[in-house]
Amino acid sequence: MSLHSGVNRFFIYDFNKKKIIQKYLVGHGCGNNIWSWAQSRDNPSFSNEDGSHLSSLGKYKIGERGVSEWGIKVKYLMHGLEDTNNNALKRAIVFHSWEKMDDNEIFPKGSPEGWGCPTVSNNALSEIDPILKGSPKPVLMWIYN
C-alpha cells in the first residue's frame, strides 16, 4: 500500500514458480475522505476499527466465496490473522470488484477509495476468481505498507 494507488500494487505470486504471475490496481479505504474519490492515493491511512472506513494491514486467509452487491457480484470473506486486521469479518471487509476500478495503471490519478475493502476491476476479479475457486489450499492475502 506504500505504492501510489494509480499503479499496480496487487500481485499474485506463485510460490512454486517463485515469481509474480499477475498484477492489478487495488483500491483501499477512504477514511474521512470522500467515498469513491482518490484523496489518499499517495499516503493511505489504516485502521482495524469498525466504522473507520480504512483498510487494515496484515495477513488474511481468503475465505468463503459469496454474492456481492458490487462489481461482478462475487466476494470473498477475509479472515484477519493478526491484531491489525482481526476485525475484518465484523467490519464486513471482503475482497470484491468494483465498476469504478480501472484495468490499467492510471497514475498520476489514483484508484477510487471505498470503505476499507480491497477492490479490483471487474476484469481483474474475473481472472482472479477461478484461481481462488480452484485452489486446493487456503489462499493468503497480505496487505502491507
Side-chain angles (χ1 to χ4, degrees), residues 1-3 9 11 46 56-59 142-145:
M1 291 293 178
S2 61
L3 297 176
R9 58 184 185 159
F11 304 100
F46 304 97
S56 300
L57 298 175
K59 295 178 182 104
W142 187 7
I143 299 176
Y144 63 93
N145 201 21

Side-chain angles (χ1 to χ4, degrees), residues 1-9 41-42 107-111:
M1 291 293 178
S2 61
L3 297 176
H4 187 283
S5 73
V7 300
N8 292 328
R9 58 184 185 159
R41 63 187 167 267
D42 293 312
F107 182 85
K109 294 181 190 174
S111 293

Side-chain angles (χ1 to χ4, degrees), residues 28-46:
H28 59 263
C30 66
N32 292 325
N33 295 321
I34 299 170
W35 175 80
S36 83
W37 287 26
Q39 294 174 287
S40 64
R41 63 187 167 267
D42 293 312
N43 190 22
S45 297
F46 304 97

Side-chain angles (χ1 to χ4, degrees), residues 88-145:
L89 288 175
K90 175 182 167 186
R91 296 179 57 209
I93 300 299
V94 297
F95 177 52
H96 65 88
S97 66
W98 190 13
E99 294 83 2
K100 292 183 177 280
M101 291 296 297
D102 283 275
D103 289 325
N104 301 305
E105 292 184 329
I106 55 173
F107 182 85
K109 294 181 190 174
S111 293
E113 299 160 5
W115 280 8
C117 298
T119 55
V120 293
S121 74
N122 290 340
N123 288 332
L125 191 55
S126 292
E127 293 177 7
I128 297 167
D129 186 40
I131 296 169
L132 295 177
K133 282 194 313 188
S135 179
K137 295 181 180 178
V139 174
L140 173 73
M141 180 183 285
W142 187 7
I143 299 176
Y144 63 93
N145 201 21

